[in-house]
Amino acid sequence: MKTVILAEKPSQARSYVEAFKNGIKKQGYYAVSDPVLPNSTVVTYGFGHLVELATPDKYNPEYKKWALSNLPIFPDNYKFIVPNDKKAQFKVVKDLLKEADEIIVATDSDREGENIAWSIMNQAHMNLKTKTIKRLWINSLEKDAILKGFKNLQDGRKFYDRFKEAQTRQISDWLVGMNASPLYTLLLNKAGIRGVYSIGRVQTPTLYMVYQRDQTIKNFKHEPYFELNAEILAHDQKFVAKLDPYQRFKDEKGLITFMEAKNVQKGQQDGLIKDVQKQAKKSASPRLFSLSSLQSTINKKFHASANQTLQAVQSLYEAKLLTYPRTDSNYITEEEFNYLLPNLNQYLNLVSKEVSLNQTEPNKRYVNGKKVQEHHAIIMTKTVPTKEQLEQLPKLQQQIYNIVLRTTLAMFADPYEYEETTIITQIGAANFKATGKVPTKQGWKALFQDKAEKSSQDEDNQTLPEVNKGEAVQANLVTPQKETTPPKPFTEGTLITAMKTAGKTLDDEEAQSILKDVEGIGTEATRANVLETLKKRNYLTTTKNQLHVTPQGITLCKAVELEPLLTSPEMTAQWEKALKQISTKQWTQEKFLANIKKFVQKLIDEVPEQFNSSESLKTQVTGQREAEAKAKEKAELGSCPSCKTGMIVDKGKFYGCTNYKSEKCSFTLPKRWASKTLGKTAIKALITKGKTNSLKGFKKKNGDTFEAKLKLENNKLSFDFS
């Protein structure tokens, strides 16, 4: 019997081979042997997706050129192709699979892994009914985990519906992209806007969330208000108390009316301690990390992008230091808890902290097998690196391992305990409340104490003096004038959270606690890629870790906001819910794609008229046209002296003609000449006058600097020492 193990990529295949007793490298595969494997076993691999959906022109050559008359594009049967650069490896895999009696699917243990494997098997055009198909499902690439997985292979066919879900997502995104992108691009081009505009089932509502936040901030009107606070002096210690119940006053008149009714005035006056309450409280450690919550935390702490975090945690997974990264769960099972427990001292040595890890019984806040569906939370593996090994890792990988390590260890530590004191002070007929917290036991917080933390000495967490009920105190009433503030711009971290909660405003802890009750947009595996796509297409830009929509992105948002189904996170979340239900057979691929086609047809029928009737879009288009014209004028340094029809512009690595390559115009000018950088002023002078003024900073071969003019004769650059 011949067995083929199908890995997703070469690095994953190598991890499997390293776990087996013997492995011999061949062309595109490995011959392996081990007691856990049948005789005659090989490991082969893809390069991620070896098989892709064909582009529209593969159905009809006319589709190569975009035209409204070609829409909608609804293939009767979807074509899949192998890209040219992957054909050699696909042939290796195909030939091995055809010869196999048993196929072990060992791609990533998620829906996309199923899609990669089944797409390859289907494209190989073999009789799968004659094959035994098994599934390797693991959370770690450690040797023990791999061998245990191969000893406990599952029936591969029971995962087939997960493939159907992933394939449906792939086809639905193709249908939206291949129809809506030409539709909006052609209509915007017709209106005078250049360029290609990309529409995506997930990327467009994500972009629109950022656009809405930017617009809210831009249009926010600051409204002044007054507060009434008390500075209380007791036993030579001052603390701040706020009006209880708290309220704001829109104007000074309302504040004065309130103060008169309560028999208080600004400035010094007597007060009385009306009530003192002390309560011992506890705070549990943070929840364990899903990919989204890790991306959010790392972005907040270190300003790394979601994609950078995903790549780094993937590398830590492949280095066998962290468990599977693309998980949406914040829980582990008792199996993981039980392997962490005996290794606690080794893990703790990496932290260099004296922390008691006394919680050795599973706590359902973290350990709950019923909450783990495909993969558990991201935690350390059994492989414990040395400090020296960690220091060899790239900085971001060190930071990620460190925070996962501390967060995981925190569930074994005692709760953070503190005493919360509340003092109510009566002044006239008004009450003022102050709250203070005094730590009594650091517990899990000690694990994070060497990190820079905000000072606790603020109004909401101040140290309060010892006072008694009925005690007289001195009070100074102040009425600070403040103003309302707009919401904060999105960061990649907060946007990932917003995608996970379909735009609902929740903090990370809330989002994690209700994760299974809220349908988000995108998946753990795709959200980072969506953000990268939006940035690469120049729809989003990042400044000081804040995300904003570019002018090009604003134009797209103005165009799509006329069609709510394209911009609604809630609607996209419902699609995600329906997609997930395909893997549980509550929905079918046919039913879902039929709905997507109806949606696409609705766009084609309605969007052209929306463009004609939207004054807001017309204003935006006019503004962008004018901005593009100014940018073009600014970018053009002069007429091309060679072809006479093009303009000289900055080409990145050199200055060249706008007809460069396309019209066979080969005229260029360098950006550096004799070790001196040539700026646009010098290039403009060469193009328009044929020479520059005297320029300093040129270098001879011996390193000496000199001053000279440059001249352009017969389209050739040279020095002019005259």
Side-chain angles (χ1 to χ4, degrees), residues 639-651:
S639 297
C640 178
S642 178
C643 69
K644 310 299 183 185
T645 60
M647 302 294 290
I648 301 303
V649 295
D650 188 337
K651 288 281 186 179

Side-chain angles (χ1 to χ4, degrees), residues 624-639:
Q624 185 167 336
R625 274 208 314 259
E626 292 173 354
E628 286 180 353
K630 287 180 181 177
K632 181 182 177 184
E633 185 178 339
K634 189 176 180 181
E636 293 173 348
L637 302 173
S639 297

Side-chain angles (χ1 to χ4, degrees), residues 235-246:
H235 306 295
D236 295 325
Q237 184 176 339
K238 186 183 287 186
F239 62 94
V240 177
K242 294 194 172 186
L243 190 61
D244 185 40
Y246 175 79

Side-chain angles (χ1 to χ4, degrees), residues 281-284 414-418 438-439 441-445:
K281 291 192 173 184
K282 296 181 180 182
S283 171
D414 293 328
Y416 167 65
E417 297 182 17
Y418 59 94
V438 178
K441 187 174 183 180
Q442 285 297 323
W444 62 266
K445 280 205 170 186

